[in-house]
């Protein structure tokens, strides 16, 4: 059956979701929390969550929203932020712009070795 109303799409990422759209998303998911999988009871606090987070390329539109209870939402947000950080690290590594780590003098990666008599020599010598 085709939609009788057009899908709500935000004009910008900071736009608040209207109450009627919030109700439509709740009804579309039968009032079930997308993270815990349990029914959201009357009076319980719940949020609208982006299935694909905005910071990871998701869109601020009705089809990307899902109802999630408050506590599971915090955990999902933490996972989304961690995934964004990892994506950034991997991208920098692939582009060759990853910052080099500071080597500890005398460590295996420093290129120097200390002999038993106390003299320091380069490993490649």
């Amino acid at each position: 059956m085709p939609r009788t109303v057009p899908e709500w799409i935000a004009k910008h990422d900071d736009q608040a979701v209207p109450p009627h759209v919030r109700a439509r998303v709740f009804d579309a998911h039968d009032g079930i929390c997308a993270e815990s999988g349990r029914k959201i009871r009357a009076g319980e606090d719940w949020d609208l969550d982006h299935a694909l987070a905005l910071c990871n390329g998701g869109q601020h539109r009705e089809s990307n929203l899902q109802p999630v209870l408050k506590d599971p939402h915090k955990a999902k947000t933490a996972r989304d932020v961690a995934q964004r950080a990892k994506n950034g690290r991997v991208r920098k590594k692939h582009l060759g712009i990853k910052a080099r780590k500071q080597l500890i003098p005398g460590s295996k990666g420093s290129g120097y070795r200390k002999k038993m008599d106390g003299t320091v020599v380069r490993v490649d010598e």
Side-chain angles (χ1 to χ4, degrees), residues 17-77:
V17 179
H20 68 279
V21 174
R22 187 175 163 91
R24 279 201 314 242
V25 170
F26 187 85
D27 292 339
H29 291 271
D30 297 322
I32 295 175
C33 173
E35 283 297 302
S36 66
R38 78 169 177 82
K39 185 84 170 159
I40 299 172
R41 292 187 287 269
E44 278 189 302
D45 287 336
W46 60 279
D47 294 322
L48 278 180
D49 175 62
H50 293 89
L52 179 58
L54 295 177
C55 67
N56 291 332
Q59 296 180 333
H60 193 35
R61 62 188 314 153
E62 187 175 348
S63 60
N64 192 33
L65 295 173
Q66 58 189 3
V68 179
L69 289 164
K70 288 278 187 185
D71 288 337
H73 187 215
K74 289 178 186 175
K76 181 181 181 296
T77 301

